[in-house]
């Protein structure tokens, strides 16, 4: 396994649509393992392939709250198949937008279809943090960031803050 570099806004690759995976092979399984390792090291609860510059519909997640009992999810070509009318607000963050958080309203429950690392198809229902995380990560595959749900003013403020923080980091 290997740690991959996480892209930070405003990297243009974070705004692009990703291609579906056509064959689940060792290369994809290696990618999933690298993404999980990178996500846990960050640390984060979700990571989409475009965040490490791989433009494929691949996502990893772990929303378990006990860190000694990991519940990794490896998702290939994940898609939302239904969503509830009821909405929920969560304060979201993103490894590509470090140290910035904002409230985002999304459907409270969703159904998701995906393939696992063996190419087997699954359908799950999710609510709570998992539902939010699923929607946030699938958005990444379509070049959508949580800041796209905010006003332009707020979005630009967040991007400026991130750029400032990155500069301080580099010169430190
Ligand atoms: Ni994110």
């Amino acid at each position: 396994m290997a740690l991959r570099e996480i892209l930070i806004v405003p990297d243009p690759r974070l705004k692009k649509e990703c291609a579906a995976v056509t064959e689940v092979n060792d290369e994809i399984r290696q990618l999933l393992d690298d993404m999980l390792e990178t996500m846990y090291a960050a640390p984060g609860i979700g990571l989409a392939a475009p965040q490490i510059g791989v433009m494929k519909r691949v996502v990893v997640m772990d929303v378990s709250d006990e860190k000694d009992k990991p519940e990794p999810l490896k998702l290939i070509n994940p898609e939302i198949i239904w969503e509830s009318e009821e909405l929920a607000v969560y304060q979201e963050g993103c490894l590509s937008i470090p140290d910035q958080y904002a409230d985002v309203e999304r459907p409270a429950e969703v159904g998701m279809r995906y393939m696992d690392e063996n190419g087997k198809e699954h359908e799950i229902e999710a609510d709570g943090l998992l539902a939010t995380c699923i929607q946030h990560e699938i958005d990444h595959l379509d070049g959508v960031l949580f800041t796209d749900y905010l006003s332009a003013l707020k979005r630009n403020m967040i991007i400026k803050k991130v750029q400032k923080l990155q500069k301080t980091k580099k010169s430190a």
Side-chain angles (χ1 to χ4, degrees), residues 51-124:
Q51 291 182 274
I52 56 164
V54 176
M55 307 314 287
K56 292 185 176 146
R57 302 190 81 83
V58 173
V59 161
V60 295
M61 256 181 243
D62 188 341
V63 299
S64 64
D65 44 13
E66 283 177 76
K67 281 299 151 226
D68 46 339
K69 249 179 42 193
E71 289 170 24
L73 267 177
K74 299 175 177 180
L75 312 176
I76 299 164
N77 298 341
E79 50 179 326
I80 307 276
I81 49 177
W82 59 263
E83 52 188 42
S84 66
E85 267 175 46
E86 193 199 334
L87 303 173
V89 177
Y90 266 93
Q91 193 180 59
E92 297 190 21
C94 181
L95 293 175
S96 295
I97 312 174
D99 302 319
Q100 308 301 317
Y101 303 89
D103 282 347
V104 179
E105 191 177 48
R106 300 178 187 270
E109 291 174 51
V110 293
M112 171 177 65
R113 183 185 297 138
Y114 68 96
M115 268 191 308
D116 67 19
E117 76 260 43
N118 300 309
K120 195 174 171 235
E121 210 171 80
H122 299 267
E123 281 183 20
I124 62 164

